[in-house]
Amino acid sequence: MSDSKQVAILISGGGSNMMTLVDSMTGDHPARPCLVLSNNADAGGLKKAAAAGIATAVVDHRPFKGDRQAFEAELAKPILDSGADIVCLAGFMRVLTAGFVSQFQGRMLNIHPSLLPKYTGLHTHARALAAGDTEHGCSVHEVTAVLDDGPLLGQARVPILSDDTPETLAARVLKQEHILYPAVLRRFTAGDRNPVLLD
Ligand code: GRF
């Protein structure tokens, strides 16, 4: 499909969310993956993406220590070169500045493992357990300059069980991430920003 929207996916780790997005973009889906980009050359997702025939790139953040803008200038290059219409953050573990975000305003999405606005940042599963919550989940949102903020595009809920550990809870949430993110991307690509709500 020559008029498909092009999607760049940014990862830092295993890339399981990235692969569910990639696997979803077939057939009549209005988008196709054009790039998988990582700040970590050892990210397991890079090999999976390459095996799926997708262009990959690495921009290591470490040589830019203390100069986030210089890192982001390099990070933006392969995205812009790829012709991406939409940028999906999928386990990308670097905080992005307002300057970078503004280049992709309204077309950059992120998945976060909590029911936002609860538990922005790290250790979301442990924090939900420590708070005594009875439910937890994941959210997909448009990226703005504020960390884990921005208009919600979807949420999926899971119950918290009495014997849950952060690990068992994370695994239950991750299963829902793999359903939610492709569903949101498909809807978003079609121009529909109504949140996808899954129970
Ligand atoms: C996911 O839980 C995502 O929500 C979080 O980091 C994890 C990434 O996992 N931000 P993967 O790399 O997609 O397997």
Side-chain angles (χ1 to χ4, degrees):
M1 271 195 287
S2 58
D3 57 351
S4 293
K5 296 280 188 202
Q6 299 297 304
V7 178
I9 306 172
L10 274 58
I11 64 169
S12 297
S16 68
N17 275 293
M18 176 276 292
M19 282 308 294
T20 64
L21 293 176
V22 164
D23 289 343
S24 74
M25 286 186 264
T26 59
D28 68 353
H29 196 291
R32 290 291 184 271
C34 61
L35 174 70
V36 171
L37 173 61
S38 181
N39 64 303
N40 171 15
D42 296 326
L46 287 170
K47 279 189 185 146
K48 297 178 195 163
I54 300 161
T56 62
V58 175
V59 178
D60 188 344
H61 62 279
R62 289 171 302 181
F64 299 96
K65 195 169 168 22
D67 192 350
R68 206 177 279 274
Q69 281 184 352
F71 166 62
E72 291 180 346
E74 287 306 307
L75 190 69
K77 282 180 190 169
I79 303 174
L80 297 171
D81 288 348
S82 75
D85 301 295
I86 295 170
V87 178
C88 288
L89 308 182
F92 184 69
M93 302 303 284
R94 305 304 301 170
V95 173
L96 298 168
T97 69
F100 182 88
V101 169
S102 68
Q103 291 184 75
F104 305 102
Q105 194 77 51
R107 54 195 185 99
M108 182 154 60
L109 315 184
N110 180 45
I111 188 154
H112 182 74
S114 79
L115 294 173
L116 291 173
K118 278 189 160 183
Y119 312 129
T120 62
L122 299 175
H123 310 302
T124 58
H125 311 299
R127 288 157 68 198
L129 286 173
D133 291 355
T134 56
E135 65 170 8
H136 187 44
C138 52
S139 307
V140 176
H141 64 96
E142 202 178 303
V143 177
T144 63
V146 182
L147 180 70
D148 297 330
D149 199 73
L152 269 181
L153 297 169
Q155 268 185 337
R157 295 168 184 276
V158 302
I160 293 182
L161 308 181
S162 57
D163 59 351
D164 264 331
T165 63
E167 291 73 29
T168 60
L169 185 54
R172 192 175 308 119
V173 171
L174 189 63
K175 271 191 195 166
Q176 290 304 105
E177 293 180 39
H178 294 165
I179 299 168
L180 180 68
Y181 211 173
V184 169
L185 178 62
R186 191 172 185 121
R187 184 177 278 196
F188 184 84
T189 307
D192 181 351
R193 287 165 187 247
N194 288 305
V196 175
L197 300 176
L198 305 176
D199 283 317

